Amino acid sequence: MVVVKLPYLKSTMLCSKLSKGMGHNYYGEPAWPNDILYIFPVCIFGITAILFGLAVSEPYSVGEPANPFATPLEILPEWYFFATFNLLRILPDKFIGVLSMIFFPAILLVLPFIENLNRYQNPFRRPIMMTIFMFVCIYSIWLSVGSLEPITEALPLV
Amino acid sequence: DGASVAATQRAFVRDELVACRAQLSEAGVPSVEETDKHIEELIKAAKQAAAGTAAAVVFMGGMADSATAYPIFAQQNYKKPREANGKIACANCHLQGKGIDVRIPHEVLPDTIFKASIEIPAKYEKREQPIADGSKAKMNVGAVAIMPEGFKLAPKDRLPKQLKKEMKGLAWAPYSKELPNVVVAGPVPGNLYEKMTLPILAPDPAQNEDIHFDKQVLYVGGNRGRGQVYPEGNQSNNNQFFASAAGTITAIDGLKVSIQGADGNTVAQELLPGATIVVKVGDTVKKDEPITTNPNVGGFGQGEYEFVLQDMNRVYAYCAVSVSIFFAQLAFVLKKKQFEKVQLAEGF
C-alpha cells in the first residue's frame, strides 16, 4: 500500500531537468496531503514533546551576575564552538588561530567547487572524500572533547 | 567509630577543639558564636594549664602543626568560602589539586530530604603524609558544601534511618551564622570518611517567596591531607623546599642547608622536617630550585553540581501534554493510512 507516481520520462521538460540534477520532486509519493498534512505535524509534535520534556526536567539555569573583575575558573563557549575554541587555545600563534576559525566556513564554502570533479553522490563511489569527511568528523569530536580537558591534556594533535 | 575517631585526634589540642565544636553542633547548639566562646574558654584553660606565655606559644605552635585539614581556618579567615571567580577558599592553603566526586539527584521535590554523597578519593591506607615532627601519619579529610539559597542541612529528627547510618556519625556544621546554607565537615579520618554523606533539606517555594522552582547549583570543595600554608602566612612542613639563593651547597646539617653564593656570602636555610633533602654537599643550585622532595600526598578538589528543584505540577502537565501529543500523532498517521486507500482506489 504505497502511493507512488512514477517519473514520466517521455516528458522532455522532466528529462532536461533530470539531466541538470533537478526535477526530483516530479515523481514519488504526493507531498500533499500525505507528507505535508499528515507526517509534518507528527515530526513537529514529536520534537515539541522532546523539547518540552527537556525544558521541564532540565530547566535553564540562571548563573551569577556578570563580574568584570573576576573571571570564572572554568570558562567554555557553547558546545558547537568547542572544536574551534580548543584550536584557539592550543595554537601558539594567534593569527593562525584566527585563520583556523575562518577556515571552518571557508572550506565548507569552496567544498562544492572542489567536489565538482566527481558527479557521484553515493559516498561509496567517492572514497577519498568520504575518508576526508570521516577524518574531519572524528577530528572535530576529538578537538571538542579536548576542550573540556585541562590545556596540558587538550589532545594537542594540530 | 566514635571511639577511634577520638583516639586518633586526642594527640592534638586543636583537634579536640574542633571535635568539641562538632559535638556542640551535634547536641543542637546552633550558634557559632557560642561555639567560638567555648573554644576561647578551652584555649584560656589550656593556657592556664600550660602556665605562662612561653607555654602558650608552644600551644599555638602545636595548634598550627597538627596533622589535619581545617574547615575552621576558612571559617575564621574568610567571610564567604567561595570567591567571585568560583575558587573555594581552601585552595589558598591546600595548594595541590586532586579531584573529588560528588553525586546528587537530578531532580528533587520541595520540602524533601535528599543526600549528596561527596567522595574524596585517595589511597588512605597506603599513602601517608608527614605530620608536624616529620613522621608519617594517615591523612584526614574535610569538606565544604555551598548549597543554593534556602537549602539547609536536614534536621536530625527528619533524617531517615538509612541516611543516618550512611552518615556514619559525621557532623556537618554551618559555616557561619550569616550563611546557614554553607556547611563544613571535618577534619575526620580519611579511611573512615572517604565518602561523606550530606543530607540536604530542600526548601518549599510555596512558603518562601525567594525560592523558585529552578535549576540549582551545589558547590562542593573537598580536601585530604594537610595544608601548605598557615593562616598566619607561614608555610607548613608538608611542603617542597626551594633554594633561597643561587650558589654551592657547602654544608647540610640536619635540616639546615648552607648555600654559598658567587659573592662568597653563605646563606643558611632552615628546612622543616618531613621532606627528604635531594641535594648533596658540593652541588650547585639555582635560586628557587627544589632542594627537597615534595612530601605532599593530599590535595584539594572542587566542583559545581547542578540539580533541579522540581514542581510536581510541571511533571503532571508534561505527562498530559505528551500523552495528548502521542494520540495526535497516532491520529495523523491513521488518517494518512486511511486517505492512502482513497488515493489508491482512485488510481493515483
Side-chain angles (χ1 to χ4, degrees):
Chain A
M1 199 181 85
V2 192
V3 186
V4 169
K5 184 185 152 190
L6 295 175
Y8 184 58
L9 293 174
K10 285 177 184 162
S11 152
T12 37
M13 189 271 281
L14 180 60
C15 284
S16 73
K17 280 203 167 187
L18 287 177
S19 68
K20 286 179 205 150
M22 297 189 294
H24 291 291
N25 55 345
Y26 280 76
Y27 56 91
E29 192 184 13
W32 181 272
N34 301 38
D35 246 2
I36 294 172
L37 185 58
Y38 298 134
I39 299 303
F40 277 31
V42 170
C43 296
I44 293 168
F45 282 177
I47 289 166
T48 315
I50 290 168
L51 292 182
F52 276 13
L54 285 173
V56 166
S57 68
E58 197 72 26
Y60 203 79
S61 62
V62 182
E64 286 159 283
N67 184 347
F69 301 107
T71 309
L73 292 182
E74 211 167 75
I75 38 170
L76 279 173
E78 293 287 341
W79 65 266
Y80 43 79
F81 288 134
F82 278 0
T84 150
F85 166 73
N86 201 14
L87 274 183
L88 264 185
R89 63 178 193 151
I90 283 173
L91 291 169
D93 190 301
K94 280 181 190 155
F95 182 65
I96 295 177
V98 172
L99 277 188
S100 82
M101 287 174 77
I102 295 168
F103 267 120
F104 268 92
I107 289 175
L108 285 179
L109 273 176
V110 299
L111 204 58
F113 302 102
I114 305 168
E115 267 294 81
N116 228 358
L117 295 169
N118 187 332
R119 61 196 171 82
Y120 290 117
Q121 294 186 346
N122 186 339
F124 289 104
R125 287 182 184 274
R126 301 180 299 149
I128 296 170
M129 237 3 178
M130 187 170 80
T131 315
I132 293 174
F133 174 76
M134 296 298 281
F135 173 77
V136 170
C137 274
I138 292 165
Y139 186 48
S140 302
I141 295 167
W142 170 268
L143 279 176
S144 303
V145 172
S147 73
L148 301 169
E149 303 282 330
I151 193 148
T152 46
E153 299 154 32
L155 320 170
L157 171 76
V158 182
Chain B
D1 285 4
S4 65
V5 172
T8 45
Q9 295 193 345
R10 196 167 298 140
F12 304 101
V13 181
R14 183 71 195 182
D15 293 359
E16 279 179 13
L17 301 184
V18 175
C20 194
R21 202 198 143 90
Q23 275 166 12
L24 273 175
S25 68
E26 187 107 66
V29 182
S31 154
V32 175
E33 273 71 18
E34 260 173 68
T35 330
D36 279 351
K37 214 188 288 166
H38 204 90
I39 289 175
E40 258 168 45
E41 276 167 20
L42 263 171
I43 290 174
K44 223 179 270 171
K47 275 182 184 169
Q48 278 168 2
T53 333
V57 168
V58 169
F59 164 68
M60 292 299 282
M63 169 187 114
D65 280 338
S66 58
T68 37
Y70 293 129
I72 197 158
F73 282 171
Q75 282 163 280
Q76 287 167 343
N77 291 292
Y78 299 94
K79 207 167 171 209
K80 278 186 177 163
R82 190 171 172 270
E83 283 170 22
N85 64 0
K87 188 169 104 176
I88 291 177
C90 313
N92 290 334
C93 300
H94 294 275
L95 305 180
Q96 194 142 300
K98 275 224 168 109
I100 57 166
D101 189 22
V102 175
R103 271 147 210 264
I104 47 168
H106 174 247
E107 290 170 86
V108 297
L109 292 173
D111 200 34
T112 51
I113 289 174
F114 63 101
K115 67 163 184 181
S117 73
I118 301 162
E119 203 184 338
I120 307 172
K123 287 173 187 150
Y124 292 102
E125 297 298 333
K126 264 167 73 184
R127 311 210 76 181
E128 294 192 318
Q129 64 174 359
I131 54 172
D133 61 357
S135 59
K136 300 272 172 160
K138 290 215 166 73
M139 280 190 287
N140 285 351
V141 292
V144 55
I146 302 162
M147 299 184 275
E149 209 63 45
F151 286 69
K152 52 184 188 215
L153 209 58
K156 279 258 142 59
D157 52 326
R158 282 188 61 181
L159 276 185
K161 251 198 186 124
Q162 178 63 30
L163 200 55
K164 231 179 209 165
K165 213 173 136 195
E166 258 178 67
M167 283 175 69
K168 290 195 273 188
L170 183 69
W172 291 89
Y175 190 81
S176 65
K177 215 170 187 180
E178 296 82 51
L179 299 169
N181 59 324
V182 183
V183 289
V184 292
V188 286
N191 48 352
L192 268 176
Y193 295 101
E194 184 167 359
K195 202 176 235 169
M196 294 180 167
T197 304
L198 168 64
I200 306 175
L201 175 66
D204 192 353
Q207 277 153 26
N208 190 342
E209 274 183 14
D210 300 331
I211 312 296
H212 304 284
F213 289 112
D214 204 351
K215 188 173 255 186
Q216 316 280 341
V217 191
L218 175 75
Y219 304 100
V220 182
N223 180 68
R224 70 292 260 167
R226 298 176 60 218
Q228 280 69 57
V229 187
Y230 286 117
E232 296 81 22
N234 51 326
Q235 63 179 161
S236 77
N237 65 321
N238 190 18
N239 261 314
Q240 187 169 27
F241 292 91
F242 303 94
S244 57
T248 316
I249 312 265
T250 49
I252 299 173
D253 179 21
L255 290 166
K256 207 167 169 188
V257 176
S258 305
I259 303 168
Q260 190 172 33
D263 51 0
N265 287 349
T266 303
V267 183
Q269 194 177 351
E270 193 83 50
L271 306 180
L272 296 170
T276 316
I277 298 172
V278 290
V279 288
K280 296 187 297 293
V281 175
D283 283 0
T284 315
V285 288
K286 294 194 200 86
K287 190 170 157 43
D288 295 330
E289 198 180 304
I291 53 173
T292 69
T293 53
N294 189 359
N296 183 15
V297 290
F300 173 74
Q302 66 172 78
E304 301 182 18
Y305 307 92
E306 287 182 329
F307 63 98
V308 180
L309 183 58
Q310 188 60 276
D311 184 356
M312 209 53 210
N313 289 332
R314 291 184 188 176
V315 180
Y316 292 144
Y318 174 64
C319 289
V321 167
S322 51
V323 167
S324 55
I325 280 181
F326 171 71
F327 282 116
Q329 288 175 317
L330 198 66
F332 274 117
V333 174
L334 289 177
K335 183 70 195 169
K336 181 189 169 179
K337 290 291 158 201
Q338 187 201 29
F339 188 63
E340 272 181 356
K341 280 183 187 156
V342 179
Q343 287 175 314
L344 286 171
E346 283 179 349
F348 182 77

